[in-house]
């Protein structure tokens, strides 16, 4: 194949997978439509599908659920678990709840920030990790706690965080 | 997630809310039934009228475990008497207090007790539809609840014509999306409706105008977990436990600088000292005790001189803290109380929804002043400014979040003002925490 057709082929595949995802999104919407108070539910599922909630997805939800886009946008921006930016492949969340605070969560955040070379809230350049802080995850007995891709790691020791991250690289 | 915390109890027979946690397989409805599960529901719908159920709950003296301490039976009665097209019951499983995990353990360890408690509430107030609002950070709790609901439906314990009566009840799980204010009941109503979780002004209270404007009961997880036992054993039995104004038991989540972290269920009125030193095993590494924080971001810090106070709703308020939902964080001598206040204000400031000015701007000013102090730029007047602004915010904020946000500042000022003074006058952090001051 010539370079041109390869790039066309990739574009076509992308288009197909975009359409596939839109089709899946439409299914989610159809399953919830007509019931009261399902917007947050639909947004959760859409975010699972896309990893975040880009504008086109919000527009599609507004259109198909028949709610104003302004309402979709205001709900997305209100809740901290909804994200409008593409996230890293893996999310690292440092618990900054009270028990973890007492056990030195602030030091864990700065250690990870320097190790990854990014500030909390940002994504590494290679797109591998997004570093976030989160509220109590409810395993306060294990403080300080971090979550990597939903795996809970407790009793974090500052000088062992590098080793821990290596496992996810 | 860790499956089961250590559970400590002064007298094991006093485990009421946690009676099944760790002892049954939470995904096996027959385990729950084998331990008298759904018996209280059968007794309710087959042999009792709604007013009888309400009377039983009233006589138990049970007060809401979500923080406010409002008598549960009275709340049900108000909702029953309110006029509406339909009525709703909601379980508040948002557990927003960072450092608390009682409700998570109940939801994961004994989900059927919540389903049963909420179904009894629905019968008592005349609701046919209920919701459990769970925070998204608790995925295992969501899964177990959903399974519990499906299994209960399959056995006809919820759904149409429960126990062949005229009573039908359906139950759905709604998942939050990371907003602390949604634990506040009016914000929670908006969130269950799929909207932004902005609080509404009160009155009207949810008992008269709640979900979709209809009369609604909102109860906390632990409140509901007590209900089946109260119905089975009687309100009088329950009211014998605990103290006169705070009956029954309370689950606390012990965390922070304490040897045994985990859950404790104790009779109301147990002292702070018994909880921290007898059950919790005291402070690790031979360090000294400095403060115990109760009530989360709405509560306060209690110093050593108050270790002997009984844990009861009203006593805790008298000494400048509150029961809250049961988070109990122990802090050792190496904790800076100004920084603790700053920590809580950072939390409430970040979580304020922005609807009212005291909540939006007031908490920001408080946080800025605290930041100034911990960074060594504080002035003597700042202490008075903190007090005055705190009082104003408490009086004028629209919802409970703002009204209680200044509490961590006021209680640390009440008991540890010397430490604030050391920061602003001597430019010293006695605990050695604030980097700019050591
Ligand atoms: C800012 C704020 C957050 C709250 N968070 C919770 C919570 O996470 N869980 C809860 O049960 N109650 C919470 N409450 C209390 C509820 O508003 C409400 O009083 C409670 O759910 C009523 O149930 P109960 O009577 O069984 O305690 C919160 C209140 C405020 C003001
Ligand atoms: S106090 Fe005001 S700004 Fe704060 S959460 Fe309540 S309504 Fe929103
Ligand atoms: S405070 Fe970190 S898990 Fe609870």
């Amino acid at each position: 194949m010539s370079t041109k057709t390869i790039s066309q082929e990739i574009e076509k595949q992308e288009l197909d997978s975009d359409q596939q995802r839109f089709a899946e999104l439409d299914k989610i919407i159809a399953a919830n439509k007509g019931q009261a108070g399902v917007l947050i539910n639909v947004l959760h599922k859409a975010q699972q599908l896309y990893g975040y909630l880009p504008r086109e997805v919000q527009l599609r939800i507004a259109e198909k659920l028949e709610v104003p886009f302004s309402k979709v946008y205001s709900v997305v921006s209100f809740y901290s678990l909804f994200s409008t930016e593409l996230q890293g492949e893996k999310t690292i969340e440092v618990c900054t709840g009270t028990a973890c605070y007492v056990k030195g969560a602030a030091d864990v955040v700065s250690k990870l920030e320097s190790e990854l070379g990014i500030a909390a809230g940002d994504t590494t350049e290679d797109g591998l990790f997004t570093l976030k802080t989160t509220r109590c995850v409810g395993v306060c007995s294990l403080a300080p706690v971090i979550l990597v891709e939903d795996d809970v790691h407790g009793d974090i020791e500052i000088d062992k965080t590098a080793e821990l991250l290596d496992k996810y690289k | 997630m860790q499956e089961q915390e250590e559970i400590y109890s002064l007298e094991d027979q006093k485990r009421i809310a946690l009676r099944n946690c760790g002892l049954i397989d939470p995904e096996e409805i027959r385990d729950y039934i084998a331990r008298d599960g759904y018996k209280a529901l059968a007794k309710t719908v087959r042999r009792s009228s709604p007013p009888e159920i309400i009377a039983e709950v009233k006589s138990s003296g049970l007060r809401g475990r979500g923080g406010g301490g409002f008598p549960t039976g009275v709340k049900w009665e108000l909702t029953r008497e309110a006029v509406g097209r339909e009525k709703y019951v909601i379980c508040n499983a948002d557990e927003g207090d960072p450092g608390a995990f009682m409700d998570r353990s109940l939801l994961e360890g004994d989900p059927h007790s919540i389903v049963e408690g909420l179904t009894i509430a629905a019968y008592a107030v005349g609701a046919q539809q209920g919701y459990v609002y769970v925070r998204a950070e608790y995925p295992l709790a969501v899964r177990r609840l959903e399974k519990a609901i499906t299994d209960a439906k399959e056995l006809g314990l919820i759904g149409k014509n429960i126990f062949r009566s005229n009573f039908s009840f359906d139950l759905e799980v709604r998942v939050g999306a990371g907003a602390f204010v949604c634990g506040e009941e009016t914000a929670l109503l908006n969130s269950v409706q799929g909207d932004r979780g902005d609080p509404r002004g009160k009155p009207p209270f949810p008992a008269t105008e709640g979900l979709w404007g209809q009369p609604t009961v909102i109860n906390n997880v632990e409140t509901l977990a007590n209900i089946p036992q109260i119905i089975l054993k009687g309100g009088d039995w329950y009211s014998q436990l605990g103290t006169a104004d705070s009956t029954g038991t309370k689950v606390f989540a012990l965390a922070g600088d304490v040897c045994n972290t985990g859950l404790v269920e104790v009779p109301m009125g147990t002292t702070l000292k018994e909880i921290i030193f007898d059950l919790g095993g005291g402070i690790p590494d031979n360090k000294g005790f400095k403060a115990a924080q109760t009530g989360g971001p709405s509560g306060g810090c209690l110093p050593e001189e108050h270790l002997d106070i009984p844990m009861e709703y009203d006593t805790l308020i008298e000494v400048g803290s509150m029961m809250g939902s049961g988070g109990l964080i122990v802090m050792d001598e190496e904790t800076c109380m100004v920084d603790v206040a700053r920590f809580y204000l950072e939390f409430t400031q970040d979580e304020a929804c922005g609807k009212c000015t005291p909540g939006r701007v007031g908490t920001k000013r408080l946080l800025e002043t605290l930041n100034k102090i911990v960074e060594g730029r504080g002035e003597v007047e700042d202490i008075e400014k903190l007090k005055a602004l705190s009082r104003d915010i408490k009086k004028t904020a629209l919802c409970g979040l703002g009204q209680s946000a200044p509490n961590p500042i006021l209680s640390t000022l009440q008991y540890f003002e010397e430490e604030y003074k050391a920061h602003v006058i001597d430019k010293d952090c006695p605990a050695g925490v604030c980097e700019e001051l050591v």
Side-chain angles (χ1 to χ4, degrees):
Chain A
M1 258 189 272
S2 74
T3 10
K4 178 131 185 279
T5 50
I6 288 179
S7 76
Q8 274 174 346
E9 184 58 24
I10 292 173
E11 254 173 46
K12 186 173 169 299
Q13 279 176 4
E14 262 211 317
L15 207 69
D16 285 350
S17 82
D18 264 4
Q19 265 161 1
Q20 238 169 29
R21 277 200 297 192
F22 261 141
E24 259 177 73
L25 181 61
D26 289 348
K27 258 193 246 160
I28 293 170
I29 298 170
N32 283 279
K33 198 173 168 179
Q35 299 167 50
V38 291
L39 179 55
I40 293 176
N41 224 347
V42 170
L43 290 170
H44 268 304
K45 296 211 164 109
Q47 181 156 294
Q48 267 164 22
L49 186 63
Y50 284 83
Y52 71 123
L53 295 168
R55 196 181 154 85
E56 346 38 298
V57 171
Q58 295 180 44
L59 281 166
R60 183 97 169 185
I61 292 172
E63 184 198 334
K64 300 264 161 159
L65 264 187
E66 292 173 43
V67 293
F69 171 68
S70 61
K71 175 162 173 185
V72 175
Y73 178 75
S74 90
V75 170
V76 168
S77 58
F78 181 85
Y79 293 98
S80 65
L81 293 181
F82 293 137
S83 168
T84 50
E85 275 159 45
L86 187 62
Q87 304 289 293
E89 218 174 288
K90 293 168 185 176
T91 311
I92 306 170
E93 294 171 277
V94 185
C95 176
T96 51
T98 318
C100 292
Y101 155 78
V102 170
K103 295 283 200 167
D107 297 336
V108 179
V109 176
S110 9
K111 180 74 194 305
L112 288 171
E113 284 181 331
S114 71
E115 230 152 61
L116 296 166
I118 51 172
D122 293 346
T123 302
T124 52
E125 241 167 58
D126 59 7
L128 186 57
F129 291 118
T130 300
L131 180 64
K132 285 187 183 172
T133 57
T134 180
R135 304 298 187 209
C136 179
V137 290
V139 287
C140 320
S141 298
L142 306 177
V145 172
I146 70 174
L147 265 74
V148 190
E149 289 200 294
D150 296 332
D151 300 340
V152 177
H153 299 274
D155 296 315
I156 293 297
E157 288 171 47
I158 293 282
D159 44 9
K160 296 204 177 129
T161 49
E163 259 171 67
L164 184 72
L165 288 192
D166 280 342
K167 282 193 228 147
Y168 289 91
K169 278 180 183 158
Chain B
M1 289 271 165
Q2 185 199 25
E3 282 279 308
Q4 195 56 52
E5 274 78 26
E6 295 283 348
I7 298 174
Y8 306 91
S9 174
L10 273 183
E11 299 160 67
D12 239 17
Q13 67 272 28
K14 297 280 159 62
R15 272 175 68 170
I16 299 170
L18 295 173
R19 66 190 178 278
N20 292 327
C21 282
L23 301 176
I24 63 170
D25 176 350
E27 300 198 10
E28 199 34 82
I29 188 168
R30 288 182 200 281
D31 274 19
Y32 180 71
I33 292 172
R35 289 175 59 86
D36 293 341
Y38 291 106
K39 243 193 197 165
L41 180 62
K43 183 174 169 189
T44 298
V45 302
R46 291 171 64 180
R47 296 215 299 274
S48 319
S49 67
E52 281 168 345
I53 294 298
I54 289 173
E56 198 70 67
V57 175
K58 273 170 93 175
S59 76
S60 75
L62 176 67
R63 295 170 68 173
R65 301 298 193 236
F70 192 81
T72 306
V74 176
K75 193 185 267 189
W76 291 12
E77 188 167 56
L78 290 170
T79 311
R80 174 159 191 83
E81 286 167 357
V83 182
R85 188 168 23 87
E86 259 182 276
K87 290 180 187 174
Y88 296 98
V89 289
I90 301 178
C91 170
N92 185 346
D94 198 43
E95 191 153 67
D97 172 6
F101 47 97
M102 310 74 49
D103 295 349
R104 180 181 67 77
S105 304
L106 276 165
L107 294 162
E108 289 177 6
D110 194 16
H112 284 287
S113 71
I114 312 303
V115 173
E116 186 176 9
L118 196 60
T119 312
I120 294 169
Y123 178 80
V125 305
Q128 299 200 359
Q129 176 68 45
Y131 296 93
V132 186
Y133 183 84
V134 193
R135 63 200 293 253
E137 290 87 341
Y138 288 177
L140 182 62
V142 172
R143 268 208 313 282
R144 295 221 167 127
L145 258 175
E146 278 176 342
K147 178 160 196 319
I149 292 171
T150 310
D151 293 351
K153 268 187 198 161
E154 230 161 64
L155 296 187
L157 298 167
I158 54 176
K160 288 244 175 301
N161 302 104
I162 299 174
F163 291 109
R164 294 187 298 278
S165 69
N166 298 329
F167 173 58
S168 300
F169 178 63
D170 202 6
L171 187 51
E172 263 179 57
V173 176
R174 285 286 156 98
V175 181
F180 171 67
V181 72
C182 288
E184 195 281 331
E185 54 192 12
T186 60
L188 182 143
L189 291 170
N190 284 335
S191 192
V192 171
Q193 290 177 203
D195 295 336
R196 290 165 60 96
D198 289 322
R200 310 172 180 173
K202 285 194 279 193
F205 289 92
T208 49
E209 274 181 47
L211 203 61
W212 290 294
Q214 302 305 310
T216 304
V217 160
I218 301 165
N219 274 137
N220 163 264
V221 169
E222 186 185 334
T223 309
L224 292 171
N226 281 296
I227 295 293
Q229 289 286 296
I230 289 173
I231 300 302
L232 278 183
K233 298 188 176 165
D236 283 342
W237 161 79
Y238 194 83
S239 71
Q240 301 300 312
L241 301 164
T243 66
D245 296 329
S246 305
T247 60
T249 59
K250 177 79 196 86
V251 182
F252 291 97
L254 254 187
D257 300 318
V258 61
C259 290
N260 309 328
T261 53
L263 296 180
V264 298
E265 178 166 358
V266 293
M268 288 276 191
T270 304
T271 67
L272 203 47
K273 196 190 232 157
E274 286 171 298
I275 297 176
I276 297 173
F277 290 91
D278 297 349
L279 295 166
I283 319 292
D285 307 326
N286 290 321
K287 286 188 193 146
F289 169 87
K290 182 145 184 190
Q293 210 281 348
T294 64
S298 316
C301 293
L302 298 174
E304 195 163 9
E305 67 197 79
H306 282 316
L307 274 175
D308 283 319
I309 64 154
M311 299 294 274
E312 302 177 276
Y313 290 100
D314 308 307
T315 320
L316 282 167
I317 288 173
E318 276 161 33
V319 294
S321 188
M322 62 184 275
M323 177 78 75
S325 57
L328 179 48
I329 307 273
V330 183
M331 299 173 181
D332 71 17
E333 57 195 347
E334 287 172 10
T335 315
C336 168
M337 300 316 286
V338 186
D339 195 58
V340 167
R342 186 203 55 77
F343 166 79
Y344 279 112
L345 259 293
E346 195 171 75
F347 178 88
T348 37
Q349 206 285 311
D350 188 41
E351 293 292 344
C353 77
K355 190 170 173 177
C356 73
T357 317
R360 185 180 63 243
V361 185
T363 55
K364 191 152 197 149
R365 295 288 166 274
L366 287 177
L367 177 61
E368 283 164 2
T369 310
L370 289 168
N371 275 332
K372 229 174 107 185
I373 298 177
V374 298
E375 286 162 11
R377 296 179 288 114
E379 296 154 67
V380 185
E381 306 85 74
D382 286 335
I383 297 182
E384 285 314 311
K385 276 192 202 154
L386 281 176
K387 286 184 192 166
L389 183 54
S390 291
R391 281 192 292 265
D392 290 346
I393 296 173
K394 277 178 81 84
K395 270 188 254 151
T396 53
L398 175 67
C399 86
L401 189 151
Q403 287 155 9
S404 60
N407 288 353
I409 301 181
L410 292 172
S411 79
T412 47
L413 273 170
Q414 184 178 351
Y415 297 115
F416 302 96
E417 189 163 345
E418 289 310 311
E419 210 164 323
Y420 280 81
K421 284 190 179 146
H423 282 70
V424 295
I425 301 172
D426 313 331
K427 304 290 172 205
D428 176 38
C429 174
V433 171
C434 301
E435 271 172 32
E436 280 87 349
L437 295 174
V438 289

